[in-house]
């Protein structure tokens, strides 16, 4: 039974059988073709049996493995290496089919190649998950053939392998590396010159154009006959919280990911940068209830706890309760902190309903409200209008886009910092705002 299940016929067999059938049909009128057709039949049978014996005399002719990482990075391309070892004494032609997790909805995976005797074939393919959670791989199938390619023998490996998809740690490492290497401007992060300073003295240095003249040290200037200034360190260990709205407004998709997933990825990368700046980071998510609260900490390993918590943040199809959020923050966060609130408002009226709670938060903490531009509206506005319906649609779209700008003005009027960004630029713009706040000494 196992032999039958592993035995497959290649398309070449059916092509030959079709040719033989045509010869038998033509031999009805051309009698000399009849014995030739029978010779082809017996020849096919002999070669077919020889092909089977060649493939099955070696008990385990192929060994293959799928090398899965411990976890995948959400929204990034993750490599899946595969190694196939040929134990036959002849060159084999192989077809590889991997049962990819159902989340990808990909049923046409097929790789082909040939492997010389006693050698190894290594290759890899990439997968881009767009949702966090558990992804289960099925079997890895390898179909092997001789040079005759009449019969295929199927081998099955690595059944039921599971890998978890976490928030984008690849993006986090990218920003981390560029921050260490001082190449942040390559990805759009700004170098922001410090305007104010803390009272934590660091050193005395020579004045350069652009330094704050209020920090001139006149005694050192007289001693060195050059302008000298006092340099101050950035204040460290400041508490910073990422507050993620997990209500239905964050379910909106963009490029395969929901707005919530963009916020989750941004929180991980931003928290890592803040830890590198020696600040304390924490987070919480909320919808109709407050969930996943992590108090701020400055430990380098705390990023692992944040990653694990973000892994389980889910979108709820309920409205966000900002009043409950305010009450929770008032009880749990006692020190003045930087609050990065990831949410979304599509209409000015929805913002005004929550504005009293945002104002209350901004009285004790430095609040930054991060919400999203609707890029689909931008595309609609830029289209050429050829009829009345398109003009009408563009007018409505322009009104919604104008509402976003009004929201920014409304929040700024009440002393609330804002970041209005496209989803793909969320992380960059959030880190820029954080660096700006640090440089201006607002916290």
């Amino acid at each position: 039974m196992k032999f039958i299940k592993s035995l497959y016929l290649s398309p070449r067999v059916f092509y030959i059988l079709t040719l033989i059938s045509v010869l038998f049909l033509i031999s009805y009128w051309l009698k000399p073709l009849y014995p030739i057709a029978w010779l082809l039949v017996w020849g096919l049978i002999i070669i077919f049996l020889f092909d089977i014996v060649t493939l099955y005399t070696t008990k385990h002719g192929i060994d293959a493995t799928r090398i899965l990482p411990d976890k995948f990075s959400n929204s990034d391309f993750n490599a899946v290496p595969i190694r196939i070892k040929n134990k036959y004494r002849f060159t084999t032609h192989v077809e590889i089919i991997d049962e990819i997790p159902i989340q990808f909805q990909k049923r046409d995976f097929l790789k082909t190649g040939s492997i010389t005797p006693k050698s190894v074939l290594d290759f890899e393919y990439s997968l881009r998950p767009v949702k966090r959670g558990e992804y289960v791989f099925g079997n890895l199938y390898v179909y092997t053939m001789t040079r005759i390619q009449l019969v295929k023998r199927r081998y099955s490996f690595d059944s039921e392998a599971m890998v978890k998809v976490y928030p984008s740690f690849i993006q986090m490492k990218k920003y981390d590396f560029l921050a260490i290497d001082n190449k942040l401007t390559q990805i759009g992060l700004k170098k922001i010159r410090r305007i104010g300073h803390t009272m934590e003295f660091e050193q005395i240095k020579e004045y350069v154009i652009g330094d704050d003249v209020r920090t001139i040290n006149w005694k050192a200037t007289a001693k060195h006959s050059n302008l000298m200034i006092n340099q101050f360190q950035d204040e460290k260990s400041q508490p910073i919280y990422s507050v993620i709205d997990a209500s239905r407004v964050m379910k909106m998709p963009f490029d395969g990911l929901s707005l919530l997933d963009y916020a989750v990825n941004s929180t991980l990368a931003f928290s890592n940068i803040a830890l590198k700046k020696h600040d304390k980071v924490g987070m919480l998510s909320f919808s109709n209830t407050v969930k996943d609260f992590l108090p701020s900490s400055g430990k380098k390993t705390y990023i692992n706890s944040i990653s694990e918590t973000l892994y389980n943040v889910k979108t709820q199809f309920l409205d966000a309760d900002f009043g409950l959020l305010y009450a929770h923050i008032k009880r749990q966060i006692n020190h003045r902190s930087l609050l990065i609130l990831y949410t979304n408002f599509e209409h000015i009226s929805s913002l005004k309903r929550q504005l009293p709670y945002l104002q209350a938060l901004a009285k004790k903490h430095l609040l930054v409200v991060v919400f999203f531009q609707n890029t689909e509206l931008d595309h609609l506005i830029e289209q050429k209008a050829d009829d009345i319906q398109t003009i009408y649609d563009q007018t409505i779209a322009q009104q919604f886009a104008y509402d976003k700008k009004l929201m920014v003005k409304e929040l700024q009027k009440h002393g609330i910092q804002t970041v209005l960004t496209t989803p793909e630029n969320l992380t960059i713009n959030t880190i820029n705002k954080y660096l700006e706040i640090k440089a201006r000494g607002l916290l």
Side-chain angles (χ1 to χ4, degrees), residues 311-328:
Y311 171 78
N312 293 305
V313 174
K314 305 296 182 185
T315 307
Q316 302 295 323
F317 292 92
L318 298 167
D319 287 330
D321 190 338
F322 279 79
L324 187 64
L325 172 68
Y326 167 71
H328 181 86

Side-chain angles (χ1 to χ4, degrees), residues 1-64:
M1 192 67 178
K2 188 176 180 180
F3 165 76
I4 297 298
K5 286 185 176 180
S6 66
L7 180 63
Y8 288 79
L9 302 180
S10 72
R12 186 171 294 184
V13 173
F14 298 99
Y15 296 150
I16 296 174
L17 288 175
T18 301
L19 176 61
I20 292 174
S21 300
V22 171
L23 285 177
F24 273 116
L25 178 63
I26 297 175
S27 68
Y28 180 80
W29 296 281
L30 300 175
K31 301 299 183 182
L33 292 179
Y34 186 74
I36 296 175
W38 272 110
L39 284 174
L40 290 175
V41 169
W42 287 108
L44 176 62
I45 293 172
I46 293 170
I47 296 173
F48 182 80
L49 293 175
F50 174 78
D51 208 16
I52 292 177
V53 171
T54 304
L55 281 176
Y56 282 86
T57 48
T58 303
K59 189 174 182 180
H60 299 291
I62 293 291
D63 186 23

Side-chain angles (χ1 to χ4, degrees), residues 172-185:
M172 180 194 73
K173 291 176 180 177
K174 179 182 72 172
Y175 288 115
D176 187 18
F177 172 76
L178 291 171
I180 294 172
D181 205 29
N182 293 320
K183 295 181 180 178
L184 291 175
T185 53

Side-chain angles (χ1 to χ4, degrees), residues 26-27 39 50 60 68 81 105 129 158 163 166 171 199 214 233 261 270 328 344 346 354 358 411:
I26 297 175
S27 68
L39 284 174
F50 174 78
H60 299 291
L68 286 176
Q105 291 297 302
D158 295 342
V163 62
Y166 274 76
Q171 177 179 267
M199 298 307 294
R214 294 173 298 176
Q233 272 188 342
D261 280 307
F270 164 72
H328 181 86
N344 195 37
E346 285 299 325
Q354 311 303 343
L358 299 179
L411 289 167

Side-chain angles (χ1 to χ4, degrees), residues 99-111:
E99 291 186 332
I100 295 172
I102 59 173
Q103 288 92 332
F104 295 102
Q105 291 297 302
K106 185 177 177 63
R107 296 293 178 267
D108 57 350
F109 183 94
L110 176 65
K111 300 290 184 181

Side-chain angles (χ1 to χ4, degrees), residues 348-414:
I348 189 69
S349 61
S350 61
L351 169 64
K352 288 185 175 179
R353 284 197 301 269
Q354 311 303 343
L355 191 56
Y357 302 112
L358 299 179
Q359 287 179 264
L361 287 172
K363 284 182 180 179
K364 185 174 181 181
H365 305 280
L366 179 58
L367 177 63
V368 178
V369 176
V370 182
F371 58 109
F372 299 89
Q373 289 179 348
N374 193 328
T375 53
E376 293 297 323
L377 293 180
D378 294 338
H379 295 156
L380 177 59
I381 293 170
E382 292 171 0
Q383 288 180 4
K384 184 179 180 181
D386 295 324
D387 51 50
I388 298 296
Q389 182 62 45
T390 305
I391 295 173
Y392 174 78
D393 292 339
Q394 287 184 340
T395 303
I396 300 299
Q398 287 172 352
Q399 181 61 48
F400 276 103
Y402 180 68
D403 276 355
K404 291 283 185 178
K405 297 176 182 178
L406 283 181
M407 294 178 207
V408 172
K409 295 294 184 183
E410 185 70 20
L411 289 167
Q412 290 176 345
K413 185 173 69 175
H414 293 91

Side-chain angles (χ1 to χ4, degrees), residues 129-354:
V130 292
K131 290 183 179 179
R132 287 163 286 119
E134 296 182 349
Y135 286 58
V136 178
F137 286 78
N139 293 320
L140 173 63
Y141 293 111
V142 180
Y143 296 84
T144 182
M145 296 172 286
T146 66
R147 291 183 178 178
I148 301 173
Q149 296 187 27
L150 292 181
V151 176
K152 300 179 184 179
R153 181 180 178 182
R154 188 184 74 175
Y155 293 88
S156 179
F157 306 94
D158 295 342
S159 177
E160 295 296 320
M162 190 270 288
V163 62
K164 292 183 177 181
V165 175
Y166 274 76
S168 180
F169 54 85
I170 291 179
Q171 177 179 267
M172 180 194 73
K173 291 176 180 177
K174 179 182 72 172
Y175 288 115
D176 187 18
F177 172 76
L178 291 171
I180 294 172
D181 205 29
N182 293 320
K183 295 181 180 178
L184 291 175
T185 53
Q186 293 181 2
I187 52 172
L189 293 180
K190 302 173 184 176
K191 289 184 177 180
I192 302 172
R193 189 166 188 84
R194 186 172 181 79
I195 297 174
H197 60 78
T198 66
M199 298 307 294
E200 189 173 351
F201 176 78
E202 183 180 12
Q203 66 175 350
I204 298 174
K205 71 178 190 72
E206 288 191 13
Y207 173 85
V208 295
I209 296 175
D211 285 332
D212 189 352
V213 295
R214 294 173 298 176
T215 62
I216 294 176
N217 187 319
W218 295 107
K219 288 184 179 180
T221 297
K223 183 178 179 180
H224 292 85
S225 301
N226 286 317
L227 278 176
M228 307 295 290
I229 65 166
N230 295 329
Q231 185 174 358
F232 297 86
Q233 272 188 342
D234 286 336
E235 188 176 346
K236 300 177 181 178
S237 297
Q238 294 173 304
I240 297 171
Y241 285 87
S242 296
V243 183
I244 303 175
D245 183 352
S247 64
R248 61 186 178 88
V249 297
M250 298 293 279
K251 189 67 176 176
M252 184 182 295
F254 179 83
D255 194 22
L257 271 73
S258 66
L259 296 182
L260 177 67
D261 280 307
Y262 280 103
V264 165
N265 290 343
S266 175
T267 296
L268 186 64
F270 164 72
S271 298
N272 184 58
I273 292 291
L275 283 174
K276 298 293 183 184
K277 296 286 186 181
H278 307 288
D279 283 324
K280 296 188 292 186
V281 297
M283 65 146 291
L284 66 89
S285 66
F286 75 103
S287 56
N288 63 319
T289 59
V290 176
K291 302 178 180 179
D292 307 312
F293 176 69
L294 282 180
S296 62
S297 173
K299 295 180 180 178
K300 298 297 182 184
T301 55
Y302 203 54
I303 195 67
N304 297 325
S305 300
I306 292 176
S307 179
E308 289 292 337
T309 304
L310 290 172
Y311 171 78
N312 293 305
V313 174
K314 305 296 182 185
T315 307
Q316 302 295 323
F317 292 92
L318 298 167
D319 287 330
D321 190 338
F322 279 79
L324 187 64
L325 172 68
Y326 167 71
H328 181 86
I329 291 177
K330 186 177 180 180
R331 289 194 309 268
Q332 299 294 333
I333 305 177
N334 299 318
H335 299 286
R336 177 174 168 82
S337 306
L338 170 61
L339 305 179
I340 307 291
L341 172 61
Y342 297 93
T343 186
N344 195 37
F345 300 109
E346 285 299 325
H347 195 271
I348 189 69
S349 61
S350 61
L351 169 64
K352 288 185 175 179
R353 284 197 301 269
Q354 311 303 343

